[in-house]
Amino acid sequence: MELLFLGTGAGVPAKHRNVSSLALKLLDERNAVWLFDCGEATQHQILHTSLKPRKIEKIFITHLHGDHIFGLPGLLGSRSFQGGLSDLTVYGPPGIRDYIDISLQVSQTHLKYPLKIVEITEGIIFEDEQFLVEARLLDHAISSFGFRITEKDKPGTLDATQLMAEGIMPGPIYQRLKNGEIITLDDGRTIAGHDYLGPDQKGRIITILGDTRPCTNALKLADSADLLVHEATFAAGSEGMATEYFHSTTTQAAQLAKEAGVKMLCLNHISSRYLKEQSKQLLEEAKGIFPNTVIASDFFELAVPVGSK
Amino acid sequence: MELLFLGTGAGVPAKHRNVSSLALKLLDERNAVWLFDCGEATQHQILHTSLKPRKIEKIFITHLHGDHIFGLPGLLGSRSFQGGLSDLTVYGPPGIRDYIDISLQVSQTHLKYPLKIVEITEGIIFEDEQFLVEARLLDHAISSFGFRITEKDKPGTLDATQLMAEGIMPGPIYQRLKNGEIITLDDGRTIAGHDYLGPDQKGRIITILGDTRPCTNALKLADSADLLVHEATFAAGSEGMATEYFHSTTTQAAQLAKEAGVKMLCLNHISSRYLKEQSKQLLEEAKGIFPNTVIASDFFELAVPVGSK
Ligand SMILES: [Zn+2]
Ligand SMILES: [Zn+2]
């Protein structure tokens, strides 16, 4: 599970930071990629990575500002053109359907895969046996969502070496033991799955926020997360401007990370007013409050460490 | 007057060719730039040139396929964000208005300049004292237009040195002489403007075509043009595929240039199936039929020579 930042700028593209997009690589977990936001030229950025558009299974849109959605029609079309056939679901605020529908219709883009569009409200927007995704509204000029992605705990690995040593050979019985069942063997022995299972592997929590001022819902979404991706459009000291434009500063992001008790903070969505050389300074501002902070740049990849109890 | 190619690929972006866009620089003529098509990431390409988005006065859209329009909402928004205040007119096939309106509406992009959208049909779509632009429908899977841009002849320059030698000093009279008037001076002399004017400067004709199979309207639009920009999606020998997908090959473009009697041909809209190294081969195919051919690549700039009678 890795985050690959495709665009880490704010508002308009700059040479060194494209507009917003962020890939959550779930290749080991489900051979899939989830995208968060899709600013213009996201598909162009992808050309410079090893990401396969056909592996994109879900696209979550935080809000409908152009720098977060104008790459969507192009990516949807190219995914089809490049042989993507599997289902794709786009989750986003109301309005996203009209935008996608008109764009594909007018351009006569005919997708060869089933596209599902889900206009979201607050609450659980996706859940399966592996993941749960919760959305909450943040504090921005237009409806902007934050997402809390919870990976479910995985049962520990089955100790096959020990089982075979005891004469219990691989077969369907292994899955039953993995499920924790108590089984009576043909020879009369009774064995319990949990005696052969390692400790549960704790799932991870990743919080990815759309554009926002610091707010209570951001705090709730980030509560004890393993990783928080928070916007930091402005530098410390520009709180007035941040408030005016419904954004946050580096230190506001760090303060929120601290209050939420997250393990790691990643600053994202940096205004193009800051030059490449200033990234270090922005990072230091946040680190003064929350030491375990990194700052995203285009093509920066961040592994989300495996959780532990 | 120069053409600056911003995207010269077909269908989907590739690393070495972006999707379609082409700037006609009219800086000397009217301190303005006209754009032809606006594929995704056109504004990103512009970042790598000296073009100023605020100088873009008109955008002509040949057809509504995604690779020709998906960069439009982003560019319109950024032009405003970067301080563009002057009028901008977009000309395109019916449907272009819905696409722009919904994209700007959903993303709450508020332009600070007046945007005019003209849904075009065949005929003269623009005319002022300098230029005349004519549109005709080509032969593509959806309505695709070609444009013939005619620069009007300019009167020759006024011989101020001669006038002053004859005691006629600069003033409003010079404009009247430039207009060809016959004027009686205070001292009784009668002088005629045309005696002091150099030869007319012949205007140029540039023909820029959207995606198309070879067709009669392409021939009409290109008739005796100084420069023809023609798509060449496929290599010579792939005429079957070109016909199937409503495109042209290098040699079909060259044949049309020859029949139309243009002065120069520029191949454009090259499929991403052809590698960068193959451009020379594609060019040679066309040159075999029409020697004065060049092939466009991203950021290629082509000066349109001043016409002569
Ligand atoms: Zn934003
Ligand atoms: Zn095309």
Side-chain angles (χ1 to χ4, degrees), chain A residues 4 6 23-27 30-35 42-43 45-59 75-76 78-88 113 301, chain B residues 15:
Chain A
L4 174 55
L6 296 168
L24 176 61
K25 291 166 72 175
L26 300 170
L27 298 175
R30 56 200 290 139
N31 195 25
V33 171
W34 290 2
L35 219 59
T42 292
Q43 63 165 326
Q45 297 288 87
I46 287 176
L47 282 179
H48 297 276
T49 71
S50 60
L51 289 183
K52 303 270 170 289
R54 64 184 157 75
K55 292 211 174 173
I56 299 173
E57 181 201 10
K58 295 176 183 299
I59 304 178
L75 180 66
L76 296 178
S78 294
R79 184 181 187 269
S80 183
F81 187 85
Q82 288 158 13
L85 294 171
S86 57
D87 294 21
L88 174 66
Y113 56 84
E301 187 161 332
Chain B
K15 272 186 199 171

Side-chain angles (χ1 to χ4, degrees), chain A residues 18 40-41 43-44 64 107 142, chain B residues 18 40-41 43-44 64 107:
Chain A
N18 195 31
E40 184 177 353
Q43 63 165 326
H44 297 67
L64 300 177
S107 61
I142 59 174
Chain B
N18 196 33
E40 185 178 352
Q43 63 165 324
H44 297 68
L64 300 176
S107 61

Side-chain angles (χ1 to χ4, degrees), chain A:
Chain A
M1 184 190 280
E2 300 89 24
L3 281 180
L4 174 55
F5 291 82
L6 296 168
T8 58
V12 290
K15 273 187 199 170
H16 68 294
R17 290 192 190 272
N18 195 31
V19 285
S20 293
S21 186
L22 159 47
L24 176 61
K25 291 166 72 175
L26 300 170
L27 298 175
D28 291 342
E29 290 77 7
R30 56 200 290 139
N31 195 25
V33 171
W34 290 2
L35 219 59
F36 291 80
D37 287 332
C38 191
E40 184 177 353
T42 292
Q43 63 165 326
H44 297 67
Q45 297 288 87
I46 287 176
L47 282 179
H48 297 276
T49 71
S50 60
L51 289 183
K52 303 270 170 289
R54 64 184 157 75
K55 292 211 174 173
I56 299 173
E57 181 201 10
K58 295 176 183 299
I59 304 178
F60 299 89
I61 300 295
T62 61
H63 65 297
L64 300 177
H65 276 154
D67 56 321
H68 297 255
I69 63 167
F70 284 163
L72 207 39
L75 180 66
L76 296 178
S78 294
R79 184 181 187 269
S80 183
F81 187 85
Q82 288 158 13
L85 294 171
S86 57
D87 294 21
L88 174 66
T89 307
V90 178
Y91 304 83
I96 191 71
R97 184 191 306 281
D98 275 354
Y99 171 66
I100 294 175
D101 283 354
I102 294 282
S103 299
L104 298 185
Q105 232 173 69
V106 161
S107 61
Q108 297 199 18
T109 306
H110 307 293
L111 304 180
K112 296 192 199 95
Y113 56 84
L115 174 69
K116 203 176 144 194
I117 301 169
V118 180
E119 295 197 329
I120 60 175
T121 50
E122 288 191 305
I124 293 170
I125 58 170
F126 171 71
E127 182 170 12
D128 68 2
E129 59 290 341
Q130 276 189 312
F131 286 97
L132 184 151
V133 182
E134 188 191 346
R136 281 179 190 263
L137 278 167
L138 304 171
D139 183 13
H140 197 49
I142 59 174
S143 290
S144 176
F145 284 95
F147 301 109
R148 180 182 174 94
I149 302 110
T150 305
E151 183 188 27
K152 296 189 178 173
D153 294 351
K154 277 181 282 203
T157 43
L158 197 66
D159 190 345
T161 314
Q162 182 59 30
L163 283 166
M164 287 190 282
E166 294 179 16
I168 304 156
M169 292 301 134
I173 193 175
Y174 273 36
Q175 187 56 52
R176 293 175 58 197
L177 289 169
K178 227 180 160 168
N179 296 343
E181 289 184 35
I182 295 169
I183 296 171
T184 303
L185 302 173
D186 292 345
D187 62 12
R189 276 187 290 166
T190 296
I191 59 167
H194 73 254
D195 290 336
Y196 299 89
L197 282 174
D200 274 12
Q201 199 184 79
K202 185 129 180 63
R204 288 155 283 187
I205 297 167
I206 303 111
T207 302
I208 299 172
L209 304 184
D211 295 7
T212 189
R213 291 172 179 163
C215 65
T216 316
N217 273 348
L219 205 58
K220 287 183 185 164
L221 288 167
D223 181 42
S224 308
D226 292 274
L227 176 62
L228 166 63
V229 179
H230 198 297
E231 72 129 288
T233 310
F234 295 107
S238 298
E239 282 71 25
M241 198 144 60
T243 302
E244 187 182 351
Y245 292 106
F246 296 89
H247 287 297
S248 302
T249 65
T250 51
T251 42
Q252 286 176 327
Q255 192 59 44
L256 193 130
K258 191 178 171 183
E259 284 172 37
V262 308
K263 296 210 183 91
M264 187 186 227
L265 167 66
C266 181
L267 303 176
N268 190 25
H269 197 272
I270 314 293
S271 166
S272 62
R273 72 178 57 215
Y274 305 111
L275 304 174
K276 208 173 180 177
E277 307 82 80
Q278 292 174 277
S279 291
K280 199 164 180 288
Q281 172 58 28
L282 296 170
L283 175 60
E284 290 309 320
E285 292 169 3
K287 278 185 150 179
I289 291 168
F290 188 80
N292 197 16
T293 302
V294 292
I295 187 164
S297 57
D298 288 16
F299 305 116
F300 171 61
E301 187 161 332
L302 182 59
V304 187
V306 175
S308 56
K309 274 240 160 102

